[in-house]
Amino acid sequence: MLSKETLAQFRVEPGAKFHLKDHDPRQLTEKALRRLGKDELKEKAQEVVRKNLAELAQAQAMLWAHDVHSVLIVLQAMDAAGKDGVIRHVMTGVNPQGCRVHNFKQPSSLELDHDFLWRCQGALPERGMITIFNRSYYEEVLVVRVHPEYLERQRLPAGKRDERFWEKRFESINAFERHLTRSGTLVLKFFLNVSKGEQKRRFLERIEDREKHWKFSAGDIAERRHWDAYMDAYQELLRHTSTKWAPWHVIPADHKWAARALVADITANAVHSLHESFPKATKEQLDALASAKKELLGG
């Protein structure tokens, strides 16, 4: 596993001044690439993922056995940042019975008839479970902020849609996540920080490769035109919603294999910290085991 000092540099410290421009999407990889070369560094990153898959599988088994805590992993990013790849690679070794992925699309009319946090509540993890939100309630301070016309569909009470409006949404999110953590849910939040140039390269790859055409949508280009507005919105949400109970991690995502290694390491460390061992059997359980063994051996 990577050192705590290394991982700490990707965490957004609550209350600290935060500027997204200070976080390089190629951070940690460029110097290492010059020193080791891409193939060697990529292999090292893949080895980190492999080791953490084993750690995470063990941690998930203990999570399930204790049936006290749950884990919510929130993934946010611009299009083509690699969210699906992170989910596929990092969660490969996890028991499917104990893990779910929920993708949030455009809200339905039913969802729009409720508050902005309502639709995510039914998808939250039960005790012993890990749930991944591929996009999340944070879209309500991202897409909706970049496209304020979407607020009209929400039929909100009259009032200004100014800075205070968005600050109130941040406050609601922080209170919601605090409630979750107090109830036993570990909240892990990752922003996959891809550069505009790398996104362009990946979009062109999807256009030029027939087997990747299905990944491309004209809407991706439309949203790319609002890149600067999205960066401003991300900076604001990272500043206001990275808390002691649910901090954000800004993951450099221009190299997919580096991003996967970091997410895997942070996740495995955090989930493993919930339970150090399997629960000990009570006297009644031990007596029942002894009785069952005696019956089996006698038959």
Side-chain angles (χ1 to χ4, degrees):
M1 289 188 175
L2 301 172
S3 70
K4 290 183 179 180
E5 292 74 19
T6 297
L7 296 179
Q9 53 186 304
F10 303 104
R11 187 170 58 245
V12 180
E13 292 301 327
K17 289 185 179 179
F18 174 82
H19 299 282
L20 188 54
K21 64 180 177 59
D22 295 336
H23 289 256
D24 185 354
R26 302 170 75 87
Q27 184 182 358
L28 277 188
T29 56
E30 294 309 288
K31 289 182 180 178
L33 278 170
R34 289 194 293 271
R35 187 175 73 252
L36 299 174
K38 184 173 181 178
D39 290 341
E40 185 176 354
L41 186 60
K42 188 172 182 180
E43 177 55 37
K44 286 182 179 292
Q46 290 171 340
E47 180 60 25
V48 169
V49 172
R50 285 193 291 269
K51 288 181 178 178
N52 279 293
L53 286 178
E55 288 281 342
L56 188 56
Q58 176 79 349
Q60 184 209 19
M62 288 191 285
L63 184 76
W64 182 273
H66 279 274
D67 198 28
V68 172
H69 294 282
S70 60
V71 179
L72 174 63
I73 299 173
V74 175
L75 289 178
Q76 289 287 157
M78 295 295 286
D79 294 315
K83 296 189 304 300
D84 292 339
V86 165
I87 294 170
R88 187 169 60 252
H89 285 80
V90 174
M91 308 309 291
T92 297
V94 174
N95 187 332
Q97 289 183 319
C99 179
R100 296 195 188 99
V101 179
H102 192 90
N103 296 285
F104 286 93
K105 305 294 185 182
Q106 184 175 329
S108 66
S109 57
L110 174 62
E111 290 166 342
L112 288 169
D113 273 336
H114 292 80
D115 67 90
F116 78 92
L117 289 169
W118 179 82
R119 69 172 179 154
C120 70
Q121 295 188 43
L124 291 171
E126 307 98 299
R127 300 190 192 282
M129 295 284 293
I130 298 174
T131 292
I132 303 169
F133 281 1
N134 186 347
R135 300 190 190 278
S136 66
Y137 41 88
Y138 280 100
E139 295 294 286
E140 293 293 333
V141 289
L142 282 170
V143 176
V144 178
R145 191 166 189 175
V146 174
H147 298 283
E149 63 273 17
Y150 293 169
L151 285 173
E152 297 305 314
R153 299 178 58 209
Q154 298 184 9
R155 297 186 295 282
L156 298 172
K160 293 181 179 179
R161 311 308 186 209
D162 54 9
E163 286 301 310
R164 185 56 187 146
F165 173 85
W166 299 109
E167 287 174 4
K168 287 179 180 178
R169 286 208 162 184
F170 293 143
E171 290 169 5
S172 295
I173 289 171
N174 289 341
F176 173 66
E177 291 177 344
R178 187 160 204 169
H179 168 70
L180 291 180
T181 58
R182 284 171 171 168
S183 302
T185 299
L186 171 67
V187 181
L188 298 173
K189 302 186 297 193
F190 300 99
F191 167 53
L192 304 187
N193 186 24
V194 70
S195 67
K196 191 175 183 180
E198 178 61 17
Q199 187 198 56
K200 174 182 176 179
R201 189 193 69 77
R202 294 178 188 179
F203 279 170
L204 287 171
E205 187 178 71
R206 291 178 180 184
I207 292 171
E208 292 164 1
D209 186 342
R210 254 186 245 177
E211 294 185 357
K212 294 184 178 181
H213 282 179
W214 64 274
K215 289 185 176 183
F216 186 77
S217 166
D220 295 341
I221 298 298
E223 290 304 285
R224 179 178 164 82
R225 298 186 192 115
H226 301 283
W227 182 275
D228 290 343
Y230 272 109
M231 292 302 103
D232 289 343
Y234 267 114
Q235 179 167 277
E236 286 300 297
L237 83 84
L238 291 165
R239 281 178 178 173
H240 288 89
T241 63
S242 192
T243 57
K244 290 181 179 179
W245 53 90
W248 275 102
H249 298 85
V250 178
I251 305 297
D254 271 18
H255 295 294
K256 294 180 180 179
W257 36 270
R260 292 163 187 168
L262 287 168
V263 173
D265 209 65
I266 293 168
T267 301
N269 270 297
V271 179
H272 192 270
S273 70
L274 294 174
H275 302 289
E276 296 296 329
S277 62
F278 286 98
K280 293 182 179 180
T282 63
K283 183 180 182 304
E284 291 76 12
Q285 289 171 327
L286 291 171
D287 289 343
L289 289 170
S291 177
K293 180 178 179 180
K294 182 177 179 181
E295 182 176 337
L296 288 168
L297 292 173

